[in-house]
Amino acid sequence: MTETGIEQVAAAAAAAARPFAHTTPRERGGALVAVADALDAAGPELIAIAMRETGLAQARLTGELRRTSWQLRLFADTVVDGGYLDVRIDEADPDYVIGPRPDVRRMREPLGPVLNFAASNFPFAFSVAGGDTAAALAAGCPVVVKAHSGHPELSRRTAEVVADALRGAGMPDGVFQLIAGQENGVALLRDERIRAGAFTGSTGVGRMLADIAASRAVPIPFYGELGSVNPVYATYADDELLQAFVASVSGSAGQLCTKPGFLFVPEGADLSAVTESAASVDEHRLLNPGIGRTFAQRRADVLEADGVTVLSAGETRTDDDGQTYATPTVVTVDVDALVAAGDALLEESFGPLSLIVRYSDLSTLPALHAGLFPGNLTSTVHARTDELEDGSLSALVDALVETSGRVLFGGWPTGVSVTPAMQHGGPYPATTTDATSVGTAAIGRFLRGVAYQNAPQALLPAPLRDDNPWGVPQQRSAAGLSTTWGSFAG
């Protein structure tokens, strides 16, 4: 795309911003459902393209596309419900205890055009029609998607499906557009008409883009998901737990941002089940040659690190097209060796590789976690029922809560459910801004608060009017209530 093309894209998105923001909840929600229906109808075609471009399995992609379309439907209901607008109305009160209060009405309104940098490892759920796009459209923001180079044909075809559905639902021209190429993405991120950015990918690229967003003449919010090592802490290590661990590490060839990169187990645990389970996993193609090369080097570095004992060496194979195929690599190390190795072992391994760490004293884990893993998408605890209930793990759980977006008790972090309460984000370096890119709370990233003081009803947005034509929840503070402040705490 040329520089002129970028100018046209930015102009079209800006022109669509106010008309799109003014669509009613049912109009916008209906458009999201139309996109979901169109994606489902095009599913067989899109999945075939995705399999060819990414090497991911049909079953995995089928589930991911279903997740993507139902996420759009969830956001459609969120828009119609209107609670996300956080409407607050303070009635005028001449007897307000700290001085006469004017009529003040506040709601959250769309930021404006959003630039979404698509991910490679989820070609549906975090790509052209994925969570960031869905949340921004639901908020009433035009979206420009920068396609990922790992699945260009799929990106183009998905964009056509989305654009046609939005157009058919009567949405404004320019409300959804696709661009390609890193230079074009950076140019658009610098454009003053873009009001927010979203990104899922590597730490290096994410930090570069976040710095660009922050250094603009008028800085904009940038929501970057940069990866995570997702530590798991277990007070026991039976065969069932270890087999499930290997399955989580090797699923989709370990190319998941929530893959458990570390499993802590008691010293002396029998880990033979890891070796047996890993040996039964078939090789899986990595997403693209670049990821394959990076994984092969990372695997070699881990295998050569001091203090490492190999449980499953795994293998990598590169075909004539430069595509890498891998089987799981799992090593074990004690706490002292892990700390001494530093980034050589602590750095994220994007692919089917994980470390099992042997610890001797459960009470040391909270401080160890805080020192080694300052920001995570997830952290997990596996413990017996009595250990969970007797308070012995409370210090560890507190440490996990301080540093993680989602804390699991049992189960495995791979497989992020799309629910209203889901949190998919965490303290830096997991994300550039601690928000969520999954679940209905994700819509809040693309909204800003606006208050109207003493505004006539005719000039108020529909959610703030007394007749409330959209039927959204309104939190009202009636006149005369200020004298009761503090009574609930008494």
Side-chain angles (χ1 to χ4, degrees):
M1 181 172 288
T2 65
E3 186 175 343
T4 302
I6 287 295
E7 166 62 29
Q8 292 170 342
V9 166
R18 292 315 299 166
F20 189 45
H22 289 153
T23 55
T24 69
R26 295 200 176 276
E27 288 171 341
R28 199 182 312 154
L32 294 177
V33 172
V35 174
D37 290 343
L39 290 171
D40 286 343
E45 175 194 2
L46 298 177
I47 289 169
I49 298 172
M51 290 174 64
R52 183 171 65 252
E53 288 193 315
T54 69
L56 294 172
Q58 182 176 5
R60 148 69 198 273
L61 291 167
T62 299
E64 187 185 331
L65 182 57
R66 178 175 174 82
R67 162 186 167 159
T68 303
S69 63
W70 282 96
Q71 183 169 243
L72 286 158
R73 294 185 175 93
L74 174 61
F75 272 118
D77 284 356
T78 300
V79 172
V80 173
D81 171 78
Y84 76 97
L85 294 169
D86 191 23
V87 173
R88 303 173 183 225
I89 298 176
D90 297 338
E91 297 176 1
D93 186 356
D95 299 320
Y96 196 60
V97 293
I98 55 176
R101 181 179 74 186
D103 182 288
V104 180
R105 301 173 183 233
R106 180 188 187 276
M107 63 177 287
R108 297 200 289 179
E109 300 202 3
L111 280 177
V114 171
L115 176 60
N116 173 19
F117 290 83
S120 64
N121 59 334
F122 282 87
F124 293 122
F126 283 88
S127 189
V128 172
D132 291 332
T133 294
L137 290 174
C141 298
V143 174
V144 180
V145 177
K146 185 271 176 188
H148 196 280
S149 58
H151 46 268
E153 182 184 352
L154 178 66
S155 297
R156 289 191 295 270
R157 185 67 190 105
T158 303
E160 291 171 356
V161 171
V162 173
D164 288 347
L166 290 171
R167 190 178 304 110
M171 295 299 101
D173 290 341
V175 78
F176 177 85
Q177 301 173 86
L178 183 76
I179 64 171
Q182 182 170 322
E183 290 185 5
N184 289 320
V186 169
L188 201 55
L189 184 61
R190 297 183 189 279
D191 194 288
E192 64 180 8
R193 289 162 289 194
I194 295 297
R195 301 303 174 86
F199 169 86
T200 302
S202 70
T203 300
V205 175
R207 274 305 307 265
M208 178 197 73
L209 295 174
D211 290 345
I212 290 172
S215 65
R216 289 179 20 159
V218 178
I220 59 172
F222 185 85
Y223 299 99
E225 182 193 310
L226 310 184
S228 176
V229 296
N230 310 299
V232 178
Y233 298 90
T235 62
Y236 64 95
D238 61 18
D239 287 358
E240 182 180 356
L241 182 143
L242 295 173
Q243 290 163 1
F245 162 71
V246 171
S248 185
V249 169
S250 59
S252 296
Q255 299 169 116
L256 304 173
C257 52
T258 52
K259 182 204 72 182
F262 295 88
L263 170 62
F264 287 74
V265 301
E267 197 172 57
D270 180 3
L271 303 179
S272 58
V274 172
T275 305
E276 297 167 3
S277 296
S280 68
V281 177
D282 294 333
E283 68 174 12
H284 194 299
R285 201 196 100 183
L286 300 185
L287 289 164
N288 58 60
I291 286 175
R293 289 189 296 270
T294 300
F295 175 75
Q297 183 60 59
R298 178 66 183 145
R299 172 179 170 273
D301 292 343
V302 169
L303 290 175
E304 294 171 2
D306 292 339
V308 163
T309 299
V310 177
L311 296 174
S312 170
E315 294 181 350
T316 59
R317 174 180 67 85
T318 303
D319 66 15
D320 293 340
D321 296 324
Q323 300 289 359
T324 297
Y325 295 75
T327 55
T329 297
V330 183
V331 303
T332 182
V333 66
D334 63 28
V335 167
D336 290 341
L338 176 65
V339 173
D343 288 345
L345 291 180
L346 292 172
E347 184 180 326
E348 180 185 11
S349 300
F350 190 72
L353 187 157
S354 189
L355 285 77
I356 297 181
V357 185
R358 305 181 304 273
Y359 67 87
S360 58
D361 186 350
L362 183 66
S363 67
T364 64
L365 293 183
L368 186 68
H369 173 87
L372 298 181
F373 309 118
N376 315 276
L377 293 173
T378 75
S379 292
T380 303
V381 175
H382 281 271
R384 309 293 186 189
T385 301
D386 58 335
E387 294 172 315
L388 293 172
E389 295 178 349
D390 65 13
S392 61
L393 297 175
S394 58
L396 175 59
V397 172
D398 285 346
L400 304 188
V401 169
E402 286 289 324
T403 59
S404 311
R406 178 165 55 113
V407 179
L408 294 78
F409 296 87
W412 300 92
T414 43
V416 182
S417 181
V418 178
T419 72
M422 182 51 66
Q423 172 67 26
H424 189 64
Y428 184 84
T431 56
T432 57
T433 304
D434 194 356
T436 182
S437 59
V438 179
T440 56
I443 195 173
R445 297 173 297 165
F446 307 118
L447 300 163
R448 66 183 184 90
V450 178
Y452 296 77
Q453 184 168 320
N454 293 330
Q457 291 285 313
L459 295 180
L460 284 170
L464 296 179
R465 284 165 38 185
D466 289 336
D467 61 351
N468 193 11
W470 288 2
V472 302
Q474 293 179 329
Q475 178 182 328
R476 283 184 170 268
S477 176
L481 293 181
S482 59
T483 57
T484 68
W485 283 356
S487 59
F488 291 111

